[in-house]
Amino acid sequence: MTFPARVRAEQRASLSFEVGGTLTSVRAEIGDRVGRGAVVATLDSATYRFNAASADAQVVETRARLARARQEAERQRALFAEGATSETRLETADAEVNSLEALLDAGQAQAGSARETLSDTRLRAPFSGRVARRIVEPGTQVSPGQPVLELDGFGTEVVFSVPGTLRDRLATGQSVEVLRPGRDVPALAATITEISSRGSGPGAFEIVARVMAGEGTIEPGEVAEVRLSRDAGNEEPRPQSATYAIPLTAIMPTGPDRGEVWVVDTQTDKVSARTIRFEAASENRVTVTSGLKSGDVVVSKGAAFLQTGERVSLIGAGARRFAS
């Protein structure tokens, strides 16, 4: 059983700044490999540097005031012990120390936040990978959270859909094969990692499989198919109930899970209606569970305009006509 699949990076991220500003540089092009923590883009940091410097200066000033206040409090405490000052003055000195200590704590927190905000003007890769998309260019005014780059990790996975009756026979950790149509290359081994509990379409459930490390290269966005063994889920093979994937445009629905297709007699080139049953639709293709057999030729387009016994010709077969 083979199902169409889409290939994507196992780890994906849309990178954005936590602060806003003017984009001054983008240090990665599409396809570039970047390491975890590498700076991939920067913002104009002049304002943020000023704010950080101002916060640090405020901390220095508050620390100096606190040192003087502590000295005064100690002096008042000594005088009070000698009976040379009042208790009120001592309490006032201690209160000034307490107030400046609280002010210093707040100033240090503000300075730390300002330094962190300054650091946020440098966008870093959260993991090692390859740049998949470059969204904005230098000189653009960007807002916090606005995507700047899209990054794909190096691991790949495939996503495909299966009918509910087959989903119940699959399990995480089960092995599948990934095929690349049109390429004379060996199939890749993959392992099912996720099985959706919610349908992604009429009677279809999404399955995710991770391509095994060390296998051949397959890139996100490539065309692929996933092949499951006929005994998926440790059930006995049932060749008499083989399924076939045909274009959605070939079916004339007569019920929620049944319809008719035009089957071509290859000896006479005439069509006749055939009742079929189907289970799932995925990416404009339908999984037919009964009514068709291997070798049947089915009309894929224009089904609504045909009638029984009408003669058709196969596109791409027979003599070709060329414009003079």
Side-chain angles (χ1 to χ4, degrees):
M1 293 178 289
T2 304
F3 301 88
R6 66 181 187 273
V7 183
R8 69 185 186 189
E10 184 179 355
Q11 195 172 19
R12 309 168 301 281
S14 180
L15 306 188
S16 60
F17 289 97
E18 294 187 18
V19 296
T22 302
L23 190 66
T24 55
S25 69
V26 179
R27 302 180 181 180
E29 300 292 340
I30 295 176
D32 284 355
R33 292 172 175 260
V34 297
R36 179 180 179 181
V39 176
V40 294
T42 60
L43 293 178
D44 183 359
S45 61
T47 300
Y48 298 104
R49 285 200 308 272
F50 173 80
N51 292 340
S54 177
D56 287 338
Q58 188 67 38
V59 168
V60 171
E61 179 184 353
T62 303
R63 188 176 286 119
R65 291 174 57 192
L66 177 59
R68 292 194 297 269
R70 284 172 174 167
Q71 290 176 353
E72 178 62 19
E74 289 299 323
R75 190 176 73 86
Q76 290 294 330
R77 190 167 288 105
L79 291 174
F80 180 76
E82 296 173 357
T85 188
S86 66
E87 184 177 358
T88 301
R89 288 190 175 182
L90 176 59
E91 291 177 349
T92 300
D94 286 339
E96 179 68 9
V97 171
N98 293 336
S99 176
L100 288 173
E101 285 178 341
L103 186 61
L104 179 61
D105 289 342
Q108 288 176 330
Q110 184 176 357
S113 176
R115 287 192 296 271
E116 184 176 349
T117 300
L118 175 61
S119 176
D120 288 339
T121 61
R122 298 162 68 86
L123 185 60
R124 299 179 182 275
F127 52 83
S128 298
R130 182 182 292 110
V131 176
R133 186 183 176 200
R134 179 167 162 160
I135 302 172
V136 296
E137 297 298 327
T140 304
Q141 185 74 22
V142 299
S143 304
Q146 179 180 343
V148 175
L149 292 171
E150 290 183 0
L151 184 66
D152 285 347
F154 294 125
T156 54
E157 61 187 16
V158 292
V159 184
F160 59 103
S161 296
V162 301
T165 53
L166 180 57
R167 181 202 61 168
D168 297 336
R169 294 159 51 191
L170 299 178
T172 55
Q174 184 174 333
S175 297
V176 298
E177 291 183 315
V178 179
L179 311 175
R180 286 166 286 181
R183 297 181 59 181
D184 187 18
V185 293
L188 305 179
T191 303
I192 294 177
T193 56
E194 299 177 33
I195 300 176
S196 174
S197 60
R198 179 179 298 180
S200 58
F205 294 84
E206 191 171 84
I207 310 295
V208 180
R210 180 190 300 119
V211 178
M212 301 298 290
E215 293 289 324
T217 302
I218 187 169
E219 300 292 341
E222 279 194 51
V223 176
E225 293 179 345
V226 170
R227 182 167 60 200
L228 304 178
S229 63
R230 178 60 64 181
D231 58 349
N234 298 323
E235 292 195 4
E236 290 298 321
R238 295 183 294 174
Q240 68 276 15
S241 59
T243 60
Y244 302 93
I246 66 174
L248 185 62
T249 52
I251 297 179
M252 298 174 289
T254 59
D257 62 347
R258 60 176 55 87
E260 291 185 343
V261 295
W262 293 110
V263 178
V264 182
D265 184 335
T266 56
Q267 300 297 321
T268 63
D269 290 337
K270 293 182 179 181
V271 298
S272 60
R274 179 85 60 81
T275 300
I276 63 166
R277 298 183 74 91
F278 54 86
E279 285 188 348
S282 175
E283 299 184 3
N284 296 322
R285 299 181 73 82
V286 173
T287 301
V288 178
T289 57
S290 67
L292 293 178
K293 64 181 184 298
S294 179
D296 283 341
V297 177
V298 177
V299 175
S300 62
K301 292 183 179 180
F305 303 98
L306 296 176
Q307 54 186 332
T308 301
E310 189 166 355
R311 187 184 299 274
V312 298
S313 59
L314 301 180
I315 296 177
R320 296 186 179 181
R321 294 184 179 181
F322 297 90
S324 58

